[in-house]
């Protein structure tokens, strides 16, 4: 490769900026971001929380699922600007400690409920929100299938994910 | 001895980081000052490009560079034909950026590099292209007819390849046949749809002259070789890393996609890291697809049901290009006789260009189509001869004493004669019948019928040639500091759990826990001899290479430990991370053995201190490192399979069809599967189950809907229907383990197995369910409600 004159490259686009302040995994965050930046890109690239994945960017696959004010939501269908003032929770905050997984994560490991692991954070965040909802949890076969019906996985064929949800129920005493 | 980990359901080493969101997929890798790319893609299936105007795009704030075919130097070329074959006429491959004409909707015409992806897409939208649209023919059969519009002017008749293979004397067999059936079957276009789309990032270091490329590829070593040769860089200066990859299923084994060349080029030219993260729409419009085939298959049989001959002529849609040669069609051809003796075979295919995304192998690689053809034909033969569907298969299976069973004249994808090496086909069929409750099904069916329900039994058998050569390697080293074992191979993983199964193999040889074996692959700086992950070959080829290597390291370890413990080698055993004097409590930790085998002057840690408590690891006079020896406990070895090893299975199901809504529900699904010795049954089941789910997608839902003008109408997850958990039934997977006689571990591949038989099973079941309503045939998948409704209408229902 011949040395060439370094091109002059702007730092950023000329998109209008907006200031957003929100809580992410319990920490207050304030940033100036492009008006049209998606929440998924904000979390991944502005905050470096790359555990939230993007599989379709059109709201179907569920890979990008995070908790927005306590409810599972699709970060690819949300603008960072819309999340101003919100309380966001991502997969990075789920494990019990550096060495201990959350029971849902533990159940996934025991049941071989992940292969490539790309869909997994979205799956876990979705299941977690259902486990954290007040009221009874339907852990029948149909109930679990219904719980997972907003998340695509191309590797596992779901059966082990269904088993993992059941196992997570056991581990958390929610049978 | 500690328990053997080969064969155990060991949980995966890789899982905790993936579960915590700490995986490193390409778009997760932090690259300072990275630039982003977007492509301008053709909106026409066939058109001449009259002009391209990039001025507005270049001036758009935040756009750094815009490339068309005129700006890409050596890359303005047809990309490599990866697997040449003499039967191809004028093989066509894509150019990174279109020159003068386009051949499918989605073809890359210009690449925009900008400060972020949003701006890059703005830039792409500002490029003005003037097209002269040309006529297209989307129907594969019509495309072969004289006068049909051409995909490539250089490919008359749209014929990409024509190939005939013959085994035995098919004409004689058909002459003496007592019964002949002939059917036509069709499988439609689908796509792998890995959850992570393709992605690539590149960084050029002008100081060291090194190009680092992160590529979500199944073939990092091959990509490295290609990049080095195309950019005229020393191989050592190109490092290709396939980090965590979110599924591949064949789609990520093709090299090169345009971005895989253009992104490294831009990184070198702009002096900044550059990345391209394909979005889902682009994955539908630009990344390889597969499946479309139309088979006309004939079976020549005796009255007993014994099939003595098979003729199959099929059309294979290769899309706009044929970069992977005839691999898919060749695998279909050579799998066409399934697990049956059928000694006389004539199989012909024509590969046809259509103005669509190119076709390269997708999990299954032609086998689902071949299985669908022969299994549907078997069902038809059974019906015409008044035989039970299980019985006719049993009468034709290759018997356990007939292996190795050769099909002279049929050359498999490894270039060798098809030779099925081992199996217990009849036993598998019996297990499937029992698990399904086949003997009581007629009664169940009648009872359900009385309640107004339509139940059907579906059945199909498949074989799969796996573990394709040429070779893979393994490198094993016991680390002197930690005593942990490092293993390298030249593959990359997309979720198959290599890090765990390879660890299990090594664990047994060295007496360490699988979690203390660290497998590093997918990085050409870690290991760069080998081929790639495809064709259900990782466990067979890399697995055996690593096994052989681990045996060597085991021997070295025992020799050194025996010297240190001052006993004979046969008095030493390796377990629990140490070498023990058998029957005593004297031991030396592996870290100490590794340290003592590496004559250094510094004692870094306790292992090194401990090592000094023992006799020397090596018995020799002279300098610290004996002549002809190497330091450490380390080895590298390779495994090259003599031939492919054939896995197989039987799938059976009970389906329910509602003639009112035309919905199909799978009530029960049984899979009997034999991939030889299983390294980790949990992982095997995961692979099989994932394949079955993809198979169910292909059987009932997934069809790329190309319009007459060549546009893909369902290029999104909104419109391309893939199964969710709600569509997948419980599946019972039962294993048989017939060890492969071809390799030391006795293993066969499993990656693709699950998907092969599903289409045939579902169609067979639906046909059985509706047979009382009239003679309806289901020979086209995906089997949609519309097809069922049309069939019902055709019999006046
Ligand atoms: S990436 Fe958000 S739903 Fe697919
Ligand atoms: S584990 Fe790969 S997509 Fe779910």
């Amino acid at each position: 490769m011949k040395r060439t004159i370094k091109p002059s490259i702007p730092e950023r686009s000329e998109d209008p900026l907006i200031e957003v302040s929100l809580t992410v995994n319990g920490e207050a965050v304030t940033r100036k971001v492009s008006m049209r930046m998606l929440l998924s890109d904000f979390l991944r690239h502005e905050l470096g929380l790359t555990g939230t994945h993007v599989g379709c960017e059109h709201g179907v696959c569920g890979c990008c699922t995070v908790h927005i004010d306590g409810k599972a939501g699709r970060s690819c269908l949300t603008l960072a600007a819309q999340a101003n003032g919100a309380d966001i929770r991502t997969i990075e905050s789920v494990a019990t400690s550096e060495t201990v997984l959350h029971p849902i994560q533990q159940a996934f490991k025991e049941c071989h409920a992940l292969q490539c692991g790309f869909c997994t954070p979205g799956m876990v965040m979705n299941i977690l929100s259902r486990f954290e909802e007040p009221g009874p949890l339907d852990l029948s076969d149909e109930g679990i299938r219904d719980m997972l019906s907003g998340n695509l996985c191309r590797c596992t064929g779901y059966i082990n994910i269904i088993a993992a949800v059941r196992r997570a129920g056991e581990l958390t005493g929610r049978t | 001895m500690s328990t053997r980990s080969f064969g155990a359901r060991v949980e995966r080493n890789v899982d905790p980081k993936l579960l915590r969101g700490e995986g490193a997929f390409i778009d997760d890798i932090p690259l300072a000052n990275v630039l982003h790319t977007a492509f301008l893609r053709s909106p026409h299936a066939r058109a001449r490009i009259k002009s391209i105007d990039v001025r507005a795009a270049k001036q758009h704030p935040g756009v750094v560079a815009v490339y068309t075919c005129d700006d890409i130097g050596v890359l303005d070329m047809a990309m490599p034909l990866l697997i040449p074959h003499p039967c191809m006429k004028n093989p066509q491959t894509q150019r990174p950026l279109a020159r003068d004409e386009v051949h499918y909707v989605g073809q890359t015409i210009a690449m925009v590099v900008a400060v972020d992806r949003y701006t890059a897409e703005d830039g792409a939208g500002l490029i003005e292209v003037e097209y002269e649209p040309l006529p297209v023919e989307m129907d594969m059969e019509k495309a072969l007819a004289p006068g049909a519009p051409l995909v490539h002017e250089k490919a008359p008749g749209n014929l990409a390849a024509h190939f005939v293979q013959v085994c035995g004397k098919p004409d004689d067999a058909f002459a003496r046949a007592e019964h002949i059936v002939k059917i036509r079957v069709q499988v439609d276009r689908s796509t792998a749809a890995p959850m992570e789309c393709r992605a690539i990032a590149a960084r050029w270091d002008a100081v060291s002259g090194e190009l680092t490329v992160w590529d979500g590829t199944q073939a990092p070593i091959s990509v490295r070789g290609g990049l080095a040769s195309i950019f005229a860089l020393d191989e050592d200066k190109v490092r290709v890393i396939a980090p965590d990859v979110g599924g591949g299923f064949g789609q990520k084994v093709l090299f090169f996609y345009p971005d895989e060349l253009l992104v490294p080029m831009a990184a070198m030219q702009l002096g900044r890291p550059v990345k391209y993260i394909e979005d889902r729409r682009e994955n539908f419009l630009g990344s390889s697809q597969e499946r479309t085939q139309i088979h006309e298959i004939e079976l020549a049989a005796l009255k007993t049901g014994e099939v003595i001959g098979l003729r199959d002529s099929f059309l294979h849609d290769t899309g706009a290009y044929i970069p992977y040669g005839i691999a898919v069609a060749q695998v279909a051809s050579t799998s066409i006789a399934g697990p049956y003796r059928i000694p006389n075979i004539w199989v012909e295919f024509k590969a046809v260009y259509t103005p669509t995304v190119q076709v390269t192998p997708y999990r299954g690689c032609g086998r689902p189509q071949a299985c669908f053809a022969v299994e549907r034909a078997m069902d038809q033969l059974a019906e015409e001869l008044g035989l039970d569907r299980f019985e006719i298969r049993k009468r034709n299976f290759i018997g356990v004493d007939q292996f190795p069973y050769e099909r002279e004249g049929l050359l498999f994808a490894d270039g060798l004669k098809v030779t099925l090496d081992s199996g217990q086909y009849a036993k598998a069929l019996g297990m499937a019948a029992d698990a399904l409750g086949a003997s009581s099904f007629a009664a169940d069916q009648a009872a359900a019928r009385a309640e107004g329900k339509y139940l059907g039994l579906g059945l199909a058998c498949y074989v799969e040639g796996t573990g394709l050569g040429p070779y893979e390697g393994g490198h094993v080293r016991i680390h002197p500091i930690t005593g942990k074992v490092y293993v390298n191979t030249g593959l990359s993983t997309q979720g198959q759990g290599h890090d765990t199964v390879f660890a299990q193999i090594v664990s047994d040889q060295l007496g360490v826990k699988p979690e203390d074996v660290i497998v590093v692959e997918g990085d050409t700086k870690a290991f760069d001899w080998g081929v790639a992950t495809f064709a259900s070959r990782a466990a067979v080829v890399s697995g055996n290479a690593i096994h052989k290597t681990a045996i060597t390291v085991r021997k070295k370890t025992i020799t050194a430990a025996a010297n240190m413990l001052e006993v004979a080698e046969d008095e030493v055993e390796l377990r629990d991370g140490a070498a023990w004097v058998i029957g005593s409590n004297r031991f030396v930790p592996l870290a100490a053995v590794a340290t003592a085998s590496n004559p250094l002057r510094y004692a870094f840690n306790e292992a090194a201190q401990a090592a000094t408590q023992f006799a020397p690891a090596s018995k020799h006079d002279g300098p610290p490192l004996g002549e002809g020896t190497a330091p450490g406990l380390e080895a590298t070895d390779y495994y090259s399979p003599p031939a492919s090893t054939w896995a197989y299975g039987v799938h059976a199901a009970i389906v329910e069809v509602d003639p009112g809504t035309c919905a199909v529900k799978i009530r029960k699904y049984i899979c009997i599967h034999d991939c030889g010795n299983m390294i980790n049954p949990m992982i095997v089941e995961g692979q099989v189950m994932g394949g079955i789910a993809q198979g169910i997608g292909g059987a009932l839902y997934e069809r790329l809907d190309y319009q007459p003008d060549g546009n893909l109408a369902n290029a999104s997850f909104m419109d391309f229907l893939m199964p969710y958990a709600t569509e997948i039934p419980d599946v019972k997977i039962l294993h048989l383990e017939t060890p492969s006689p071809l390799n030391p571990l006795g293993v066969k591949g499993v990656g693709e197995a699950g998907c092969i038989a599903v289409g045939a099973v579902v169609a067979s079941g639906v046909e059985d369910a509706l047979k009382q309503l009239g003679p309806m045939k289901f020979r086209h998948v995906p089997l949609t409600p519309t097809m069922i409704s049309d069939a019902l209408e055709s019999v006046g229902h």
Side-chain angles (χ1 to χ4, degrees):
Chain A
M1 209 42 215
K2 247 191 271 147
R3 291 280 177 108
T4 45
I5 295 171
K6 228 168 105 182
S8 137
I9 295 174
E11 282 308 306
R12 48 174 307 280
S13 74
E14 290 186 2
D15 280 0
L17 298 180
I18 184 166
E19 185 171 284
V20 291
S21 293
L22 62 171
T23 311
V24 178
N25 297 337
E27 249 182 79
V29 174
T30 299
R31 297 285 155 103
K32 268 197 171 161
V33 297
S34 151
M35 290 270 268
R36 58 175 167 168
M37 179 176 280
L38 297 174
L39 177 60
S40 50
D41 282 339
F42 176 75
L43 293 169
R44 293 176 45 73
H45 301 308
E46 292 292 315
L47 305 187
L49 298 174
T50 52
T52 300
H53 296 157
V54 175
C56 70
E57 252 182 8
H58 49 252
V60 182
C61 73
C63 287
C64 65
T65 305
V66 297
H67 293 185
I68 305 174
D69 291 330
K71 281 209 162 68
R74 314 228 141 168
S75 59
C76 78
L77 291 186
T78 310
L79 294 169
Q82 286 173 289
N84 189 33
D87 183 10
I88 305 287
R89 196 169 164 205
T90 70
I91 187 71
E92 285 86 352
S93 72
V94 172
T96 310
S97 74
E98 291 277 309
T99 48
V100 181
L101 295 173
H102 183 280
I104 295 172
Q105 295 169 318
Q106 178 62 25
F108 265 63
K109 180 166 186 285
E110 288 176 19
C111 298
H112 186 32
L114 65 156
Q115 288 183 23
C116 76
F118 196 80
C119 71
T120 312
M123 286 272 183
V124 170
M125 293 314 285
N126 174 28
I127 297 163
L128 182 66
S129 82
R130 302 290 284 266
F131 270 64
E132 288 180 347
E133 271 168 23
L137 193 57
D138 181 358
L139 290 181
S140 69
D141 215 56
E142 222 174 297
I144 298 175
R145 279 190 158 83
D146 186 61
M147 181 188 301
L148 301 177
S149 65
N151 290 75
L152 280 170
C153 172
R154 197 55 163 168
C155 297
T156 63
Y158 302 105
I159 298 302
N160 287 350
I161 301 179
I162 294 167
V165 176
R166 213 175 286 126
R167 177 76 182 128
E170 281 167 29
L171 291 174
T172 52
R174 301 283 302 267
T175 40
Chain B
M1 277 299 282
S2 39
T3 39
R4 208 165 167 242
S5 81
F6 188 107
R9 295 175 168 270
V10 175
E11 288 176 25
R12 303 196 317 166
N13 290 344
V14 69
D15 286 354
K17 84 166 182 183
L18 294 174
L19 282 161
R20 287 168 179 271
E22 291 167 5
F25 299 87
I26 302 236
D27 195 29
D28 302 345
I29 293 169
L31 291 169
N33 296 321
V34 69
L35 300 172
H36 299 252
T37 50
F39 285 93
L40 174 74
R41 294 171 182 275
S42 171
H44 298 286
R46 280 289 285 131
R48 260 187 271 286
I49 298 173
K50 303 188 69 171
S51 66
I52 307 178
D53 182 350
V54 299
R55 282 171 303 181
K58 276 191 167 157
Q59 276 154 22
H60 187 68
V63 166
V64 176
V66 180
Y67 298 93
T68 68
C69 62
D70 290 329
D71 315 307
I72 57 175
V74 291
L75 297 187
D76 182 30
M77 57 167 193
M79 284 189 279
L81 174 68
L82 295 171
I83 312 179
H85 192 280
C87 78
M88 282 188 282
K89 316 193 190 318
N90 265 318
Q92 300 293 314
T93 60
Q94 188 173 340
R95 308 174 79 88
L97 295 174
R99 173 168 284 288
D100 303 334
E101 52 178 348
V102 287
H103 301 103
Y104 67 95
V105 172
Q107 183 168 355
T108 45
I109 295 172
M111 179 172 83
V112 179
V113 183
V115 292
D116 58 41
R117 168 82 185 203
Y118 300 76
T119 308
E121 287 185 25
D122 292 345
L126 290 170
I127 299 172
E128 299 276 350
V129 183
E130 204 187 327
Y131 300 97
E132 178 193 334
L134 298 169
V136 291
E137 178 54 69
M138 301 306 291
D139 180 308
M140 195 169 39
E141 289 173 294
K142 291 187 189 146
L144 283 174
L150 295 181
V151 179
H152 300 279
E153 270 154 36
K154 284 186 220 142
N158 292 312
L159 186 64
H162 180 205
F163 195 45
V164 178
Q165 298 199 69
V166 180
C167 168
K169 297 202 166 98
D171 289 346
D172 292 3
F174 274 84
R176 82 195 147 82
E178 293 166 357
H179 195 92
I180 293 175
V181 293
K182 179 170 184 174
I183 63 166
R184 174 190 155 101
V185 306
Q186 180 168 343
V187 177
D188 287 339
R189 182 77 78 101
S190 189
T191 182
M195 291 312 296
E196 184 199 22
C197 293
R198 293 191 315 95
I200 180 161
R203 184 175 61 202
W204 168 251
D205 182 334
V207 176
S208 65
E210 274 179 350
L211 175 68
T212 305
V213 176
W214 292 265
D215 188 350
T217 178
Q218 297 174 227
I221 296 175
S222 309
V223 168
R224 197 269 313 256
L227 290 175
S229 96
I230 289 169
F231 290 118
L233 292 168
D234 192 282
E235 271 139 298
D236 195 51
K237 296 284 187 208
V238 184
R239 176 180 186 183
V240 177
I241 302 168
D244 292 319
V245 178
F249 316 113
Q251 192 184 67
K252 297 179 182 173
V253 81
L254 177 73
F255 43 94
F256 290 97
Y257 285 103
D259 44 274
E260 287 177 298
L261 293 171
L262 295 167
V263 166
M265 174 205 76
M268 289 193 277
Q269 288 196 353
L270 301 172
R272 286 261 292 258
V274 178
K275 71 175 163 186
Y276 167 66
I277 308 300
E278 182 187 63
D279 72 19
R280 185 55 61 184
R281 183 168 170 276
E282 294 177 297
N283 186 264
F284 278 105
L285 295 181
S287 289
S288 288
Q289 305 170 348
E290 206 222 282
R291 293 290 195 255
T292 317
Q293 287 183 356
I294 299 173
H295 289 247
E296 308 253 2
I297 182 170
E298 280 178 279
L299 299 180
L302 303 178
K303 285 264 178 316
T304 56
E306 185 186 349
V307 181
I308 55 173
L310 180 158
R311 276 191 199 131
D312 180 34
S313 172
F314 70 93
L315 300 182
H316 167 76
D317 174 2
T318 188
Y321 303 103
I322 194 160
Y324 220 80
I326 59 166
V328 177
Q330 186 174 18
V331 170
S333 303
T334 46
S335 308
I336 193 68
Y340 309 114
R341 293 185 301 277
I342 313 183
N344 305 293
I345 299 165
W346 179 88
V347 57
E348 169 200 51
F349 67 79
K350 287 180 179 154
V352 186
Y353 288 119
T354 59
T356 58
V357 174
Q358 67 197 352
V359 165
T360 68
Y362 157 39
R363 191 181 215 171
C365 185
R367 297 175 187 91
Q369 299 93 313
C371 177
F372 191 65
V374 68
E375 290 298 300
R376 299 280 45 230
M378 275 293 188
D379 279 1
Q380 183 62 24
L381 181 64
E383 183 183 317
E384 290 180 18
L385 294 177
L387 285 169
D388 173 72
R389 283 176 288 164
F390 285 85
E391 182 60 29
I392 197 162
R393 287 172 168 85
K394 212 186 305 173
R395 291 186 189 176
N396 284 288
F397 278 150
I398 299 166
V400 274
D401 49 359
Q402 289 176 307
F403 292 103
Y405 193 83
E406 298 181 352
R407 299 200 195 277
E408 197 72 54
L410 298 194
L411 295 185
F412 192 55
D414 53 8
L416 302 172
K417 164 174 66 184
V418 169
T419 306
L420 295 101
D421 52 290
S422 56
Q424 307 175 67
Y425 301 160
K427 186 170 177 187
L429 187 75
M431 286 169 71
D434 290 346
L436 194 71
S439 57
S440 63
F441 177 70
D444 299 346
Q445 192 178 32
R449 186 65 203 88
E451 290 171 29
K453 287 189 175 154
Y454 292 81
L455 295 188
L457 185 155
L459 172 68
C461 309
Y462 71 90
V463 292
E464 185 196 359
T466 72
L468 226 60
Y471 79 93
E472 289 296 337
H475 170 247
V476 175
R477 167 194 284 186
I478 302 177
H479 204 288
I481 307 281
T482 58
K484 292 201 181 188
V485 183
Y486 281 74
V487 177
N488 307 116
T489 184
L491 303 179
S492 63
T493 181
Q494 304 83 40
Q496 302 91 330
H498 293 173
D499 71 315
T500 307
V501 293
F502 295 154
Q504 287 176 259
I505 291 169
V506 172
S507 144
D508 282 344
Q509 291 306 324
L510 301 181
V512 294
K513 288 191 275 208
E515 60 261 40
D516 287 333
V517 182
I518 292 144
V519 177
V520 177
E521 59 178 345
D523 181 349
T524 57
K525 272 283 187 277
F527 196 85
D528 65 351
W529 292 111
V531 192
T533 305
F534 61 89
S536 305
R537 66 192 293 277
V540 179
V541 192
S542 273
N544 279 290
I546 289 167
H547 173 68
K548 284 170 71 183
T549 313
I551 289 175
T552 307
V553 174
R554 172 190 173 79
K555 283 191 191 134
K556 286 190 183 178
T557 308
I558 288 183
T559 304
N563 290 337
M564 293 172 77
L565 294 162
E566 299 177 278
V567 294
E569 289 184 12
D570 59 6
E571 289 175 72
V572 175
E573 67 174 350
L574 302 183
R575 63 176 162 88
D576 303 329
W580 298 72
V581 178
I582 296 173
S584 83
N585 56 9
R586 286 189 61 218
F587 70 94
V588 49
L590 286 191
V593 184
T595 301
S597 305
N598 177 27
L600 281 184
R601 357 165 24 133
Y602 307 113
F604 291 113
N605 64 0
E606 280 171 29
Q609 309 277 359
T612 61
Q613 308 304 306
F614 295 90
S618 164
K619 276 189 201 159
H620 67 274
D621 300 325
L625 197 59
E627 191 57 37
T629 64
L633 300 173
E634 177 172 33
T636 303
D637 205 346
Y638 299 87
Y639 174 71
S640 183
S644 292
T645 182
W646 290 70
Y648 67 93
V650 178
H651 289 203
I654 308 237
V655 303
E656 181 180 343
V657 188
D658 179 339
T661 62
C662 296
V664 177
K665 188 138 185 76
I666 298 171
R667 289 271 167 230
K668 194 170 189 183
Y669 200 101
I670 307 292
C671 161
I672 314 296
H673 171 264
D674 187 344
C675 62
N677 294 333
M678 288 187 286
I679 306 169
N680 185 330
M682 183 185 83
I683 286 176
V684 167
E685 284 162 16
Q687 288 294 309
V688 172
M689 188 59 230
I692 290 175
Q694 267 174 336
I696 289 173
L700 290 169
Y701 312 108
E702 296 169 14
R703 178 175 180 274
L704 291 169
D705 188 11
Y706 281 100
Q707 300 295 294
D709 67 357
N711 262 292
L712 184 55
N714 56 349
S716 82
F717 279 170
M718 215 89 86
D719 303 311
F720 179 78
L721 304 179
M722 301 194 329
Y724 286 88
T726 34
E727 277 70 49
I728 300 299
D730 271 328
V731 172
K732 188 167 189 183
I733 299 171
L734 297 173
H735 303 287
L736 256 175
E737 288 184 88
T738 313
S740 169
L742 299 184
N743 61 68
L745 292 172
V747 297
K748 301 178 180 182
V750 67
E752 296 168 275
C755 71
I756 299 170
V758 187
V761 173
V762 169
S764 164
V766 170
E767 201 168 288
D768 188 46
L770 296 178
K771 67 183 178 207
Q772 292 127 320
L773 296 176
M776 286 168 276
K777 296 298 170 190
F778 295 95
R779 293 170 180 161
H780 187 170
V781 282
L783 214 175
T784 59
T786 312
M787 288 177 188
I788 294 174
S789 147
D790 289 351
L792 286 165
E793 205 168 302
S794 76
V795 296
H797 188 79

